Amino acid sequence: MAAPETPNTAPESASSGAHGASLQPSQGAQTHANPASQQPIITPIRPQAAAQRPTAVPQAPHEDPEESSAEESGEDLTEVALRNAPPWLISALFHTLLMIVLALALLPTMLNNQVDLDATFADSDQLGEQLEFDSPLAGNDDERVDQPVMSVDNLPEVFDPSLAPPLFDPTDVLNGPSSTSDVQAANIGTLLMGRDAGTRKALLKEFGGSATTEAAVQEGLKWLAKNQQKDGSWSLVGPYPDGANAENRNAATAMALLAFQGNGSTTSYGEYQQVVKRGWYYLLKQQNEDGSFYLEGKWGHRFYTHGQATIALCELYGMTRDPALKAEYKEPAEKAIDYCVKSQSSMGGWKYSYKGSSDVSVTGWILMGLQSARMAGLDVPEETLAGITKFLDRVAQKGGSRYPYEPGHEATRVMTAEGLLCRQYLGWKRNNPSLLEGVNWLLEPENELSFTKDRDVYYGYYASQVMHHMEGEAWQKWNRIMCVEVPRAQVQRGPERGSWDPNKPTEDEWAAYGGRLYVTCLSVYMLEIYYRHMPLYSNSFMYLR
């Protein structure tokens, strides 16, 4: 990432991904699976069971002289049976045959309505050919590729993005940043509901995911599960090759948990339930009395670590449906939020020390933790969010369309992506001119995502979220690169299959600071983007019809 001046002046962010790297989890979690209190939005369609009919108890048969004579004369026994059968039996046989015929006629239709995402893990040379897109959002509409990415005139009006999709009348929501009480009025976990198994499939199809992108996610999760330590933690430095240059188990554990939770697993359900349960058994014991999760690592790791752990913990709280478990997570989550609030600097953001200075990188991670809390219905003071806006206003360049690491520095693509995502969460509308200008700048060829030149997984992680929330042509242009480049760079053979090598095919910006686990986690987050968070500006339920 281009934020730090030199590796020596910013080792702090080392494993946290200097200035936003090594310790970065993915943003606030959206169960964006179903709300904590709801059943899955999408359920398989099943044919209704046929109404039960009264069954007759057959009486002991009496010998019929006509039957005997029929056998002796060679008369067809079927004809005799039909002639002597009671009316109810003939009716039952007729309706049974009719139901079988109808079921066979309906079966192909029912099977065609299912979304099939089963796939084999493809070789990198075949990834592009394997992708299949059925949605206009997928980014494969050749007739529109060369058109301007966006304009202010053709974008619909939207309400406060933090409330999308509300379960109450959206006309009651003010256009500015919502109050915490408004957020709590929305269904808890609404923005996390895309993580439910059935909903994930629908959103993958809607937003241009594929069998290849999802297979890459599953391979990444397998690698992470394999590298979980006996105590439930993960490590930044090993036991795998190409680890980070400094250890921070709390940050590594939070990042790994975010990958599993982003795919729908929690401590109470999901394919990786036991992995997540062991991870949280470890991490919850590491929380300090003041609410902080920082215990080890370089000095600059403190708020990267805490931001990542806060995101993961608030996601877990929002995704958990079991009331007893939910109660266990509420107090630690509130303590983590309280530490964020109390440690905010007078500039309005966060950096490396308690109430110290502010930079865009660390501030973005903390804001994502606070936003995850809001998604889960937890209270976040309005004045804390207002302070972040004040800091972003101070550091912004070119009318708010570009952002540097901190005031006085040159704007970079990675800090601009993170700054614009913060603005989206803090209430900027989709047709905000500064947001549009910044997005268009990120979509210029020199800033596109690449794993062969200027590789920067931290940038890819933040820019992917910005584009996903924008939807439309911005998302199409970004996704057609991301959905091919990211899976293609994944290790596909050998003991590290499923991970992303921080040094190959080219060295990532955060190879030394975050190492293999960091690069792998952020790559998984990118490929979970289709369902990890529901889009901020649209009524998300429209995608689930």
Side-chain angles (χ1 to χ4, degrees):
M1 138 178 196
E5 305 268 28
T6 66
N8 292 330
T9 60
E12 298 71 76
S13 45
S15 76
S16 77
H19 303 253
S22 121
L23 317 170
Q24 295 135 320
S26 78
Q27 271 199 140
Q30 293 166 27
T31 312
H32 272 187
N34 291 347
S37 60
Q38 287 188 348
Q39 296 301 315
I41 298 298
I42 292 182
T43 56
I45 301 174
R46 298 182 176 85
Q48 291 185 336
Q52 292 187 345
R53 307 181 188 282
T55 57
V57 179
Q59 302 298 318
H62 297 286
E63 186 173 339
D64 191 333
E66 287 187 18
E67 292 184 20
S68 300
S69 61
E71 293 177 8
E72 294 172 359
S73 62
E75 185 179 353
D76 190 337
L77 291 178
T78 302
E79 295 180 4
V80 175
L82 290 174
R83 184 171 63 248
N84 292 281
W88 62 264
L89 181 58
I90 296 176
S91 176
L93 289 172
F94 173 77
H95 284 89
T96 299
L97 290 172
L98 181 61
M99 290 179 62
I100 292 173
V101 172
L102 291 174
L104 291 174
L106 292 173
L107 184 60
T109 301
M110 293 168 59
L111 292 176
N112 287 336
N113 285 336
Q114 296 179 358
V115 180
D116 185 9
L117 288 176
D118 292 334
T120 57
F121 191 63
D123 284 342
S124 59
D125 294 339
Q126 300 174 344
L127 285 173
E129 299 176 5
Q130 186 183 12
L131 297 173
E132 295 180 0
F133 299 106
D134 298 320
S135 167
L137 294 178
N140 64 334
D141 186 348
D142 294 334
E143 295 181 359
R144 301 172 62 187
V145 171
D146 298 327
Q147 294 181 8
V149 175
M150 289 177 296
S151 67
V152 178
D153 298 333
N154 61 7
L155 289 174
E157 287 294 321
V158 295
F159 296 97
D160 184 352
S162 66
L163 295 177
L167 295 184
F168 47 86
D169 185 353
T171 59
D172 293 336
V173 182
L174 299 178
N175 288 330
S178 67
S179 67
T180 303
S181 60
D182 285 336
V183 175
Q184 291 173 333
N187 189 32
I188 291 178
T190 293
L191 296 181
L192 300 173
M193 73 182 187
R195 301 176 183 197
D196 175 78
T199 310
R200 286 202 308 269
K201 292 183 178 181
L203 294 175
L204 272 165
K205 180 178 181 180
E206 184 66 36
F207 287 105
S210 69
T212 300
T213 62
E214 189 61 10
V217 169
Q218 298 308 318
E219 290 294 321
L221 296 181
K222 289 177 185 177
W223 182 85
L224 287 170
K226 182 179 71 173
N227 283 282
Q228 187 177 29
Q229 306 297 299
K230 291 182 179 180
D231 62 359
S233 68
W234 279 267
S235 167
L236 280 180
V237 301
Y240 43 82
D242 300 302
N245 58 14
E247 181 63 286
N248 189 325
R249 288 172 294 175
N250 284 2
T253 302
M255 286 191 290
L257 288 170
L258 281 166
F260 291 108
Q261 291 174 190
N263 197 247
S265 291
T266 70
T267 59
S268 56
Y269 60 90
E271 181 179 356
Y272 290 97
Q273 174 185 344
Q274 295 304 318
V275 173
V276 176
K277 184 180 294 185
R278 289 194 297 270
W280 278 110
Y281 177 78
Y282 169 84
L283 192 56
L284 285 175
K285 293 189 298 183
Q286 310 306 310
Q287 188 175 29
N288 296 311
E289 189 60 34
D290 62 2
S292 169
F293 279 94
Y294 174 72
L295 291 178
E296 66 178 340
K298 295 186 176 182
W299 176 64
H301 289 188
R302 176 179 297 275
F303 283 99
Y304 286 119
T305 304
H306 185 69
Q308 293 163 358
T310 300
I311 295 171
L313 181 54
C314 291
E315 281 190 7
L316 180 67
Y317 174 78
M319 294 173 68
T320 299
R321 297 164 182 162
D322 185 327
L325 284 175
K326 202 172 186 72
E328 290 183 20
Y329 305 141
K330 186 174 184 181
E331 183 179 353
E334 290 178 333
K335 288 175 62 177
I337 297 166
D338 188 55
Y339 184 79
C340 292
V341 172
K342 290 181 177 178
S343 59
Q344 187 175 27
S345 77
S346 59
M347 292 177 64
W350 293 261
K351 193 173 180 181
Y352 301 149
S353 60
Y354 191 90
K355 286 184 175 294
S357 186
S358 299
D359 67 56
V360 172
S361 180
V362 179
T363 298
W365 284 106
I366 297 296
L367 175 58
M368 295 307 112
L370 297 176
Q371 180 63 20
S372 297
R374 300 173 77 196
M375 293 175 190
L378 296 170
D379 184 65
V380 176
E382 289 299 320
E383 52 269 29
T384 301
L385 302 178
I388 300 173
T389 297
K390 181 183 72 173
F391 168 66
L392 292 174
D393 289 342
R394 177 177 178 177
V395 73
Q397 298 178 8
K398 294 186 179 296
S401 64
R402 300 186 192 182
Y403 294 85
Y405 169 64
E406 57 187 350
H409 289 215
E410 181 181 355
T412 64
R413 64 175 186 171
V414 61
M415 289 296 96
T416 295
E418 189 168 0
L420 292 178
L421 183 64
C422 291
R423 294 292 200 177
Q424 288 177 320
Y425 276 118
L426 289 170
W428 272 16
K429 295 182 180 181
R430 182 165 50 190
N431 58 4
N432 182 291
S434 296
L435 177 59
L436 294 176
E437 183 180 344
V439 166
N440 280 319
W441 183 64
L442 295 180
L443 290 171
E444 291 180 1
E446 63 268 26
N447 293 324
E448 68 183 16
L449 179 66
S450 173
F451 276 84
T452 57
K453 180 183 178 182
D454 299 326
R455 182 182 174 195
D456 189 335
V457 71
Y458 182 43
Y459 167 63
Y461 163 66
Y462 272 107
S464 295
Q465 294 177 79
V466 171
M467 302 306 171
H468 177 58
H469 292 316
M470 295 304 293
E471 301 183 68
E473 294 174 47
W475 170 242
Q476 292 171 26
K477 290 194 71 172
W478 181 265
N479 184 53
R480 74 184 63 185
I481 296 173
M482 184 193 74
C483 69
V484 175
E485 288 273 3
V486 180
R488 179 176 288 158
Q490 189 176 31
V491 178
Q492 299 181 36
R493 297 176 182 82
E496 307 313 321
R497 172 189 171 102
S499 68
W500 274 262
D501 191 322
N503 296 301
K504 297 177 182 178
T506 57
E507 183 178 358
D508 191 89
E509 182 76 14
W510 309 109
Y513 295 119
R516 187 178 294 267
L517 183 135
Y518 172 77
V519 172
T520 295
C521 286
L522 268 67
S523 297
V524 169
Y525 303 160
M526 275 191 275
L527 296 178
E528 292 175 338
I529 191 69
Y530 310 102
Y531 48 78
R532 184 177 189 84
H533 297 103
M534 302 300 288
L536 289 171
Y537 296 118
S538 297
N539 187 325
S540 304
F541 289 122
M542 67 181 287
Y543 300 113
L544 307 177
R545 292 171 182 169

